[in-house]
Each structure stands twice: as C-alpha cells, then as structure tokens.
Amino acid sequence: MLMGRKPVSPAEIPPPAMDKEENLAEERSGASAGSLAERHAVQLAARSLLNAFLRENEDAVERMEILAEAAEMGAAVPLTLLLSDGTRIHGSVRYASLTGQHLYEEEWLLERCGSARVLPFDELAEALVREQSLRLGPGAAVAAPGTLKRIQASVRHLRGHLERREADEQAGLDVRKLDYIRSEQSVLAGHPFHPYPKSVEGMNETDLIRFSPERGASFLLHYFAVRSSCLICEWLPDAFQGTLPPEACETFRRALKEGLGSQAAALYEPLPMHPWQADRLLEQPWIEQAVQRGELVPLGPLGPRVYPTSSVRTVWEPHSGYGWKLPLEVRITNLVRVNTAEQTSRTMHAVRLAAHLGGELESELPGLLPETGYSGIAVHGQAMPDPAASVLIRPMALEPTATFVLASLLEGWPGEQMPKLAQAITESGRSGGAQQLPDMLEWLERYLRLSMLPLLRVWDRFGISFEAHAQNSLLSLADGWPVKFYVRDLEGMSVDRRLAEKAGWVGDVLPKDSPLLYEAADAWHRTLYYFFVNHLGSLIHALALWQGWPEREGWSVVRHLLVEEREWSSERLRPYVDGLLNHSTLPAKANFASCLANKGDTPLYISIHNPIRDGRRP
C-alpha cells in the first residue's frame, strides 16, 4: 500500500451506476457477446488494470497469503477483492505471478448484500477507480472521472487496433510477419501495470489510422525550411551533424530550390516534423508570424517513408537507419510528448558523457544507441528551442530482420499465450530454415550475460544507470540465441554525482547543475525498477508462462549469476549485488495511484516482494 494516504468516507464518492440485476445465466451469455477484437481488448485491459490495482493494494485481496503461495508455483487460484463499501469482487487467477503479472479468467462477479451478478468491464473499472480514489484521498476523487474516461479510451483504441489487424488478415495480408518494424508496431497490450496503456488524447480516429504504430502506419515527415539564425542546434563533434540523412538532405535542397530559388540553400536548414505536429504548429500565431517573415518555410511531406515505433512519436527510417524523437502535443498515457528543455539537456549531457567515455563504455555495453544531437526553432530570448518544435536525432544501425523490441517479443499475438519470442527464435536460423527451440533457462542465462551483467558493470565502473525497461531494450538473435542487447533513449540515463565528481567529469564534461546527476541511491533505484522489476519481471513471466514452469525457475537463474558476479565484484559493486540477493523488497511504480494523483512526471513508488531473494518472502 502507499503510505501517508488520507482515508475518505465512501459516502464522499458516488457509487457507479449499476444495471438492474438480471438472471446470472443470461448475463454470462451476454458478457461473451461481441466481436473477437472487443473480447481481446477487454481481456487485455482488464488484466493491466487489475494487476496495477493489486500491486498497489494487496490489502484488498482476501487471503493474500493464498495468492502468494500460488505465485510460488505459477498456479491457478480463486481471487476475491474486498472493497471499502463491503462489496466483493470474485474472479479467478489462471497463472499467479511472483511480480504481480497475473493472468486471469474472463469472468468477474460482483457480490453485494448476499447476491451476485456478472460484472462487465466498465463496471469493474468504475469499482476499482472508486476504490483507489477512496484510498488516496479527496484529490483523487476529483481525478476519477478523467481516469475512467482514459480507461475507456484505451480500450476503444485497442479494439480499433485489433479490428485493423483482423481486417488485414481477412484481406490476405501476413499479420504474423515479425521483423524489427513489425515488432515495434505490434506492442498491443502495452504496459502490464498501467490502468490505460493505450490512451491517446488529442488524436481522433482518422489520426490514429494514419499515425498509430499498432495500425501499421507509415508516412512522410513534414519538412520545414528554417533560417539558420532561427535554429538552436547541438551536435556531437564526431557525429554527422544533420537532422536528415544525406539522401534526404538532397531531397530537401531540391524542394527548397524549386520553391525559393538557388540562393535559398545557403540560408535555410531542414527541420523534419511529425505531420500531425506540423499541422498543429502551423495554426500557432508565433509560427504564422515566422512564416510571414520568411524565417520559416513549410515544404510539406518530403523524404523517405518513416515508421512510428511503439512510443508513437519516435519514428525510424530503415534504409538509412536514421531515427527521430519528435515532439507530439498529444497526451499518450500520462504525459504530453514534447521535448522539453530539461529532457533535451538530459539527453545531450548523457550523449556527451557517453562520447567522452568512448571505448571504455562501449566495451562494457556495446549495444548503447545514443542520440547524436537536436535541432529546434528558437523562441526570442530563449536558450533552448520551443519544446513543441524541437527534434532529437537517434540513429539506430541494426539488422532489421533479426532485431526486435523486447516489449513486443514478450507479448503474444492477440488471443495467444505463447510470446512472439518463440516465433522470433524459430525463424532466426542462419540457414533460413526453422530453428529448434533451445533450453530456455540456458537461453535466459545467455541473455542475462548480455544485459544484466553489463548493466551492473557499467554501474560499477561509471556510476551510470539506464531506464532499460522492456520498451527501451532491443534484442538481436542468431540461430535462436541472443547475440546483442541494445539500450536506447539516453534521456533516461542517470549518474552517481560523487563518482562523477571523483572522475573529474563535473565541471568538464557535465555542468554542476546537470539534471543527469543524482545521489547514488536515487540513480541505482532507477536500475532496480526499470531493469530488474519492469524488464526482468516481464521477461521471466513470459518465459515461465510459455514454458509451463513457475517464475522462480527464471529468478533462480538471475540469482545464480548474481552470486557468481559477487565473487568477482569490486568493493563498490558488492553492496548493490548483496541488496539484490538479500533485500526483501524491490521498488515498483504505482501507476494507478500516480494517474489519480496527477503525478505522471513524478510517479509514486511502492515496494514489492523481491523474487531474487532465494524464494524467501517477508
């Protein structure tokens, strides 16, 4: 539970409207009606919503010890939630998870005053939002209607994604093809502990069809020509200094010459923009004025076709390997996705430090994918570009037929329990034939040697922590085995301030007030959550569910490698490894509470049981 909550009387929050009770058998029949896409969307939405609620409110579970025992074995178990008004919600866990990634049966029952009826998803969501609001206090009650609206939108968007997939399949398209782009565009379930993982506010259905990765979108970027005096840019010294790859630069120069004449090429620089954002910018008075003054020239859609990745606003062009982290004034889950000055500074401080460390860092973590610079439209008197008109450049040179975003591999295709990782492994034989599945515990050990151990050694040597969650992590396979682990999005890097000062980086590579610098405990906290809880929790759950073994089998591999690493670790690293082996808890984001408390930028955290701790529980 979250600490410091102020209780609220149930009377302060009106109960959700309930339909008249009908015959239970009839309701069960009605609950199963609807399209396959609707059914799968509701299943996925209910799972992430329930798991977010249970992770943050274990005391709402009747007989929590029974659920905990089932999680030790990956077993099925009945589940009852007791809410503050005396209502009970009954369901069944089909697979109980040590880290709370439970899998549920479809049907839920509401028991009140001795009678029970089937609980539709909308009412389940209302009941859980109301209960979470009661536990958080009056401020959360104000946010409850908006939270419910986003939950409903998330389900609606997910249903649309699945319906598009059904339509493509009926049209004869290969909807099960798996490569890098398809992996980015098939993260359908989304965050496993978020009440509305597919909520997008600001785009209508037409926009979603055009721009959603889950709809298989691809499009041309909208190019602006910007006078050099109106741009603010920063580039790594040894990187290619341009917002476009060389071939796209030629396209830009031709369009500029055709529109403004041959002399314009020396006056203007390109700034690519998401088409949705370009339309929005062109409606802003300050942009209109810049166009009238000739400081900004909209050239329209140009260049190569790009593909949105799982984050929606980041796009990738496969021919050049160029990627762009674009501003998009759309609220995706909890945040409007623009490139703020603080985020841009964090990113550039991170890439400067990575470049300074050079081969030393690369030898430990060869799959780091740093940004190379940014460019944006200057606002008079500001040292940084406008967040809504600032673009970060992220080249990603990778093998697109054998590299995948991990978050996608850990999901199954709609309605299937087997993760896409199984398909990626079987299709990864160098000879082109089907690859036999390896021993997955051995596979996991190899993966951890590519990911976990390098991340620990980077922390040890450099005091650097990454937000290496499943959506920021890429994996390359060869003959079924993991061969390269990638981490992207260096905005999520954090650095131990004391180690940085001791190494002489502060005041040289990094300014003293760099947002990258943290106390050691705070920086390490990010590795604990993003890699061990989010990343490994999802990976081990997916493997266990697929292979039919309890999750503790996977966590025992993690423990074995940590014990082995401890024998060779430095005095600095050993206490951190000991903490992983022996502390009773690990930190986890409280996404449900953070949504209701409007803390998307500064999320709340709770403690969950540490599954690495040799099977012991507090």
Side-chain angles (χ1 to χ4, degrees), residues 161 164 168 181-182 184-186 203 206-220 274 305-309 312 314-316:
H161 302 333
R164 169 60 185 266
D168 286 346
I181 291 174
R182 298 296 181 93
E184 290 279 10
Q185 299 199 335
S186 61
M203 286 188 174
T206 300
D207 296 329
L208 291 172
I209 292 170
R210 289 182 63 197
F211 303 124
S212 287
E214 301 92 339
R215 307 287 178 101
S218 63
F219 45 82
L220 305 184
H274 192 291
R305 185 164 292 273
V306 300
Y307 296 81
T309 70
V312 182
T314 299
V315 300
W316 189 67

Side-chain angles (χ1 to χ4, degrees), residues 55 99 455-456 459 464-469 494 520-537 555 562 575-583 585-589 605-612:
R55 171 174 274 187
T99 57
L455 289 173
L456 289 174
W459 172 251
I464 293 176
S465 179
F466 298 95
E467 288 187 6
H469 55 68
S494 53
D522 294 330
W524 174 244
H525 182 275
R526 297 163 80 89
T527 291
L528 287 176
Y529 169 65
Y530 286 109
F531 183 75
F532 286 95
V533 172
N534 177 299
H535 182 135
L536 289 189
W555 288 109
L562 288 173
Y576 296 102
V577 176
D578 285 343
L580 287 166
L581 292 170
N582 300 315
H583 286 176
T585 63
L586 291 172
K589 273 188 184 179
Y605 279 81
I606 57 170
S607 295
I608 65 170
H609 300 303
N610 178 7
I612 307 170

Side-chain angles (χ1 to χ4, degrees), residues 74 339 402 437 447 460 471 534 545 548 585:
N339 293 318
L437 291 174
Y447 179 78
D460 179 25
Q471 195 170 311
N534 177 299
L545 189 63
T585 63

Side-chain angles (χ1 to χ4, degrees), residues 185-206:
Q185 299 199 335
S186 61
V187 181
L188 295 168
H191 197 300
F193 292 95
H194 202 289
Y196 42 84
K198 291 297 171 179
S199 172
V200 177
E201 292 180 75
M203 286 188 174
N204 58 33
E205 181 62 20
T206 300

Side-chain angles (χ1 to χ4, degrees), residues 173-445:
L173 300 179
D174 182 5
V175 297
R176 298 178 68 91
K177 181 179 178 181
L178 193 58
D179 55 20
Y180 172 66
I181 291 174
R182 298 296 181 93
S183 75
E184 290 279 10
Q185 299 199 335
S186 61
V187 181
L188 295 168
H191 197 300
F193 292 95
H194 202 289
Y196 42 84
K198 291 297 171 179
S199 172
V200 177
E201 292 180 75
M203 286 188 174
N204 58 33
E205 181 62 20
T206 300
D207 296 329
L208 291 172
I209 292 170
R210 289 182 63 197
F211 303 124
S212 287
E214 301 92 339
R215 307 287 178 101
S218 63
F219 45 82
L220 305 184
L221 295 177
H222 185 113
Y223 286 18
F224 286 96
V226 187
R227 279 191 178 267
S228 303
S229 59
C230 298
L231 277 178
I232 297 178
C233 308
E234 183 179 351
W235 306 99
L236 283 181
D238 296 332
F240 175 72
Q241 300 186 2
T243 57
L244 301 175
E247 289 183 14
C249 281
E250 291 302 314
T251 301
F252 167 78
R253 297 298 175 196
R254 286 196 300 270
L256 194 60
K257 182 177 179 180
E258 291 171 4
L260 298 180
S262 58
Q263 295 182 344
L267 301 175
Y268 291 89
E269 294 295 330
L271 184 67
M273 196 64 59
H274 192 291
W276 189 96
Q277 184 68 10
D279 289 343
R280 180 175 175 84
L281 286 174
L282 288 169
E283 296 174 351
Q284 305 304 310
W286 69 281
I287 291 290
E288 290 179 349
Q289 294 165 11
V291 172
Q292 292 169 3
R293 293 192 297 267
E295 297 168 350
L296 184 68
V297 181
L299 297 176
L302 288 173
R305 185 164 292 273
V306 300
Y307 296 81
T309 70
S310 53
S311 67
V312 182
R313 55 92 164 243
T314 299
V315 300
W316 189 67
E317 196 279 300
H319 178 71
S320 66
Y322 238 58
W324 296 265
K325 188 175 182 180
L326 303 167
L328 197 60
E329 290 180 282
V330 170
R331 178 172 171 144
I332 301 169
T333 60
N334 286 343
L335 299 171
V336 176
R337 307 295 172 156
V338 294
N339 293 318
T340 67
E342 193 266 351
Q343 292 166 343
T344 302
S345 294
R346 280 184 66 93
T347 302
M348 292 310 300
H349 293 180
V351 299
R352 283 206 301 265
L353 179 57
H356 174 77
L357 295 173
E360 290 185 83
L361 178 58
E362 187 177 0
S363 68
E364 298 286 9
L365 193 63
L368 194 62
L369 295 169
E371 288 80 358
T372 56
Y374 73 87
S375 182
I377 301 174
V379 179
H380 181 69
Q382 298 295 317
M384 297 294 288
D386 188 279
S390 177
V391 177
L392 285 154
I393 313 304
R394 185 192 294 161
M396 296 195 302
L398 46 84
E399 173 47 61
T401 62
T403 305
F404 315 89
V405 60
L406 185 68
S408 184
L409 292 185
L410 303 185
E411 292 185 7
W413 294 115
E416 297 181 14
Q417 187 168 295
M418 182 180 293
K420 294 194 285 283
L421 176 61
Q423 178 184 339
I425 288 172
T426 58
E427 293 178 353
S428 67
R430 289 195 181 96
S431 62
Q435 178 70 34
Q436 285 191 337
L437 291 174
D439 178 286
M440 291 311 296
L441 289 175
E442 184 181 350
W443 189 98
L444 175 61
E445 180 175 337

Side-chain angles (χ1 to χ4, degrees), residues 50-58 61 67 79 81 102 104:
L50 282 158
N51 284 341
F53 180 83
L54 263 64
R55 171 174 274 187
E56 299 170 36
N57 301 284
E58 285 189 355
V61 180
L67 179 59
L79 178 70
L81 303 178
H102 310 305
Y104 303 92

